[in-house]
Amino acid sequence: MCATGSGCRGVAQCTQVNLLSCPRRRFIRLKSSVILNAIRDEAHKLIRRHQKYASDLAAALRRREKRSGLIQAKHIHLPEYWSADKGFNPYYVRAHSQGIAYAIEKALAYGQYQPRPAVTYEVEKPDGTLRPVSVFQVADGAVSTLTFRRLVEKNARHFSARAYAYRPDLTLHDAVLHISSDFNMRSRIFVAEFDFRKFFDSISHEHIHRVLKDERFFITERERRVIDAFLVAPSLRVSEYARESHEKRQRGIHQGTSVSLFLANVAAYPLDRKLEGLGVGFARYADDTLIWGDSYDIVCRAVNALEETAAEMGVELNFNKSEGISILCPEGLQAEFRAKAAVSFMGYKIGSNLISFRPETLKNSQDWLSYLIYSNLLQEL
């Protein structure tokens, strides 16, 4: 029976001829306008990205033709995963956005929404290892983005002031300035640098559910169901996408979709609370955490809290890539054990009296700047 008392047995079984005469359908159609706008925004974003690629390619070909006097063939490549399902094609989704939005809102209203499987591909990290990235279909990406924005809007103040990732009120530059201001002109300070191993891929779903419940985040039942749906959504290679059966994800969160950014902060929330309770200085950007303090003892206790929380999250510490505990002091100053003049954090090099880029970050920036100067100013000449 329809919740409005109209006698309608639900959307799927509605027998009224006039669509707008059914209160339940009218409610879903009204709500679907929000989803519709989100889907169109997502499709337009991807279309603009593809059109920019096509425009840049055409400009490059014109420069080559002018230089060589030969006609250049233009081949515009489509992303490989567009071939896996038409739901990945933003041009198709834009053309059918109204029907797609209504179907998704209907599924959300009845608690039956499940995102289609994502396509996964690998991106090379600066250290040479590969990071798996998931791409959801356009409409599911829109639902993820819409859910993320609502959750952040309600819960931004719930997070620690020292958690800087994926927030509208704080940025990476705020983190760097905070670290630098605490380090400023101190003769020595103890710092702890530890990395997680495969943070996004390893997070326990039970841990996320527990934190969301115990820490009383502001979240509706509908948003909770969307989170659960994205947590278990499978991620497949393009060649595997045609399979009829897909295994649900048992642990970890997808890299590449918006709602995972919120969940990454949720997973690390207990760590932030423990570090605040200990009174140490720290800054966290997703899984990158830097801890410091005036005494070796308190920094050791903070590292113990880090190891304890990592176990709760189901994530391991990567001791091969971790610097451990050291003394931060100006070069040339005597120290009791291993000392350094600066620490690395998110591509920056920060010391007691300096802020700069890491050599790798600086080289990448210089290479990109050189490419822009050559392709836009020198190549045609």
Side-chain angles (χ1 to χ4, degrees):
M1 180 69 69
C2 179
T4 61
S6 65
C8 171
R9 292 175 296 167
V11 174
Q13 295 81 28
C14 181
T15 58
Q16 299 190 43
V17 176
N18 185 355
L19 182 66
L20 293 180
S21 66
C22 172
R24 195 167 198 174
R25 285 199 180 223
R26 187 165 63 247
F27 173 75
I28 290 178
R29 183 166 289 272
L30 178 66
K31 292 285 286 183
S32 68
S33 64
V34 178
I35 300 292
L36 175 61
N37 291 334
I39 290 174
R40 286 176 174 171
D41 288 345
E42 187 73 13
H44 288 155
K45 179 187 74 176
L46 297 173
I47 288 171
R48 285 194 301 270
R49 185 181 300 169
H50 185 256
Q51 289 176 340
K52 184 180 185 306
Y53 149 71
S55 176
D56 291 346
L57 177 62
L61 291 177
R62 284 195 299 270
R63 287 194 296 268
R64 291 179 192 171
E65 290 175 0
K66 188 175 181 179
R67 203 168 55 243
S68 64
L70 301 175
I71 301 298
Q72 301 287 322
K74 182 179 178 181
H75 299 289
I76 298 178
H77 297 281
L78 300 179
E80 183 186 11
Y81 60 86
W82 284 17
S83 64
D85 188 284
K86 55 190 177 184
F88 289 105
N89 188 325
Y91 294 95
Y92 173 87
V93 172
R94 182 177 64 177
H96 299 81
S97 57
Q98 196 158 359
I100 294 172
Y102 181 77
I104 287 180
E105 181 53 46
K106 176 179 169 181
L108 287 167
Y110 283 87
Q112 298 171 349
Y113 171 75
Q114 289 291 332
R116 298 293 302 276
V119 163
T120 186
Y121 63 94
E122 294 176 328
V123 176
E124 187 174 355
K125 295 163 64 174
D127 61 2
T129 59
L130 298 176
R131 174 188 290 117
V133 176
S134 300
V135 178
F136 282 90
Q137 293 191 15
V138 178
D140 294 321
V143 172
S144 175
T145 300
L146 190 60
T147 304
F148 167 74
R149 288 174 180 168
R150 288 173 172 172
L151 290 171
V152 170
E153 183 180 350
K154 292 186 292 185
N155 294 283
R157 294 178 182 84
H158 202 67
F159 291 113
S160 168
R162 301 300 171 228
Y164 294 91
Y166 320 130
R167 297 175 57 168
D169 55 332
L170 294 172
T171 68
L172 173 59
H173 296 103
D174 294 314
V176 172
L177 290 174
H178 167 64
I179 297 169
S180 177
S181 65
D182 253 22
F183 288 0
N184 189 30
M185 304 311 293
R186 292 201 190 189
S187 59
R188 60 181 58 212
I189 191 170
F190 293 91
V191 293
E193 301 169 89
F194 287 88
D195 286 335
F196 292 108
R197 177 181 285 113
K198 296 185 176 180
F199 177 77
F200 281 82
D201 297 333
S202 306
I203 295 174
S204 162
H205 292 179
E206 291 75 16
H207 171 74
I208 290 176
H209 293 143
R210 184 169 58 250
V211 175
L212 285 173
K213 179 182 177 182
D214 293 348
E215 302 299 342
R216 300 181 181 180
F217 280 87
F218 300 114
I219 178 172
T220 65
E221 187 57 37
R222 172 165 159 158
E223 290 163 346
R224 192 180 300 276
R225 288 196 296 265
V226 171
I227 286 174
D228 292 344
F230 274 99
L231 280 175
V232 300
S235 188
L236 310 169
R237 296 186 181 277
V238 174
S239 59
E240 304 170 332
Y241 206 83
R243 294 188 317 190
E244 292 186 3
S245 60
H246 311 295
E247 288 187 13
K248 291 186 176 181
R249 195 180 182 102
Q250 300 298 318
R251 66 184 305 108
I253 56 180
H254 296 277
Q255 294 191 68
T257 188
S258 300
V259 75
S260 292
L261 308 181
F262 175 78
L263 296 179
N265 274 336
V266 168
Y269 180 79
L271 172 62
D272 299 338
R273 293 292 301 271
K274 290 175 184 177
L275 295 179
E276 287 176 336
L278 288 169
V280 292
F282 75 97
R284 183 179 63 78
Y285 197 93
D287 57 327
D288 287 282
T289 306
L290 182 66
I291 303 170
W292 63 89
D294 290 322
S295 74
Y296 180 72
D297 174 65
I298 195 169
V299 172
C300 283
R301 281 189 281 156
V303 172
N304 290 337
L306 179 67
E307 291 182 297
E308 178 184 297
T309 310
E312 294 171 2
M313 290 190 290
V315 180
E316 296 179 359
L317 292 177
N318 189 346
F319 292 104
N320 292 329
K321 291 176 61 179
S322 299
E323 294 284 336
I325 300 176
S326 54
I327 295 180
L328 183 73
C329 61
E331 283 190 48
L333 192 66
Q334 292 294 323
E336 292 79 4
F337 58 96
R338 186 180 57 179
K340 55 172 56 178
V343 296
S344 295
F345 184 77
M346 296 299 296
Y348 286 85
K349 191 175 180 182
I350 310 170
S352 58
N353 54 6
L354 71 91
I355 302 177
S356 66
F357 292 113
R358 287 193 310 177
E360 301 87 347
T361 307
L362 185 59
K363 184 179 184 305
N364 291 338
S365 299
Q366 290 171 336
D367 290 345
W368 178 241
L369 184 60
S370 298
Y371 166 75
L372 291 177
I373 293 173
Y374 175 74
S375 61
N376 291 282
L377 297 176
L378 303 178
Q379 186 176 19
E380 189 169 334
L381 297 176

